[in-house]
Amino acid sequence: MTAMPFVDLTEQTRILSRLVSEVPDTGLAGPTPCPEYTVAGMLGHLMGLAVAFRDAARKDLGPTTDTAPDPAAVSLPEAWREELPRVLGELAGAWQDPEAWTGMTRAGGVDLPGEVAGAVAVDELVIHGWDLARATGRAYAPDGAALRASHAFLLAAAQEGDRGGGIFGPVVSVPDDAPLLDRAVGLSGRDPGWVPPTTP
């Protein structure tokens, strides 16, 4: 995986927290651009990755950093509206420490250089923010620095791959002059034009 220089996650986590606050209870069972996750599942996944990458930044290795993501095992805490924004804030704070971006750490059961783990964390926040926004019909404008870092990370991952795909799935072709967010989404293996299916 490709590393990146320090990125301040504060604004991106704030944007994501605002999206979380706007999710209606009636929308939790709805689909997302990730077929493995409903909206509730995506929120639970965000909770798990926020905790994992917070602890990875702190080099606090243990159960939260040793377990690979499993969509079938995701659960959403009852107090998710309060807990998820809190954990996202802790994640951003942990990656403010320059030491987080150095040395080795672990996330999802994989040992990684700190700067690579930071790159993955940025990308997860940007792309899953888009997932959540699309699934719930919300406008989405990620933090510019985080978006640029995510796009660079995904582009490098696609170029380094031997199957013409990104780290989340086969790249979806997007015009070179498309908005940067659309290009990042395509590199992540998603269709930038995805909308929730209509109910007959």
Side-chain angles (χ1 to χ4, degrees):
M1 292 185 182
T2 301
M4 67 172 70
F6 170 82
V7 178
D8 187 344
L9 301 181
T10 304
E11 184 56 26
Q12 180 59 28
T13 54
R14 286 174 179 164
I15 290 168
L16 196 45
S17 291
R18 285 197 294 270
L19 283 173
V20 168
S21 72
E22 295 172 357
V23 174
D25 290 338
T26 54
L28 290 174
T32 73
C34 293
E36 301 91 347
Y37 293 113
T38 61
V39 171
M42 179 60 67
L43 291 166
H45 176 62
L46 282 166
M47 176 74 77
L49 76 85
V51 170
F53 281 96
R54 175 200 67 191
D55 292 349
R58 296 172 175 173
K59 310 295 197 294
D60 183 11
L61 308 183
T64 62
T65 61
D66 292 352
T67 306
D70 180 1
V74 168
S75 62
L76 187 61
E78 185 174 340
W80 60 273
R81 289 188 184 278
E82 296 76 34
E83 290 184 25
L84 183 47
R86 174 182 58 78
V87 174
L88 286 168
E90 292 172 353
L91 168 69
W95 286 99
Q96 290 276 11
D97 183 353
E99 292 297 316
W101 299 81
T102 64
M104 294 295 294
T105 189
R106 187 181 307 131
V110 179
D111 291 327
L112 298 166
E115 58 186 4
V116 174
V120 175
V122 173
D123 184 59
E124 293 273 357
L125 294 174
V126 170
I127 298 300
H128 286 323
W130 181 86
D131 289 332
L132 188 59
R134 277 303 170 100
T136 57
R138 297 312 193 260
Y140 180 56
D143 173 65
L147 173 58
R148 290 188 294 274
S150 173
H151 177 265
F153 174 73
L154 289 165
L155 181 60
Q159 291 172 339
E160 291 170 5
D162 59 3
R163 59 188 176 86
I167 59 175
F168 296 115
V171 168
V172 174
S173 180
V174 176
D176 292 341
D177 60 352
L180 187 60
L181 178 57
D182 287 0
R183 284 181 275 150
V185 167
L187 287 167
S188 77
R190 293 156 169 78
D191 177 4
W194 187 93
V195 294
T198 56
T199 303

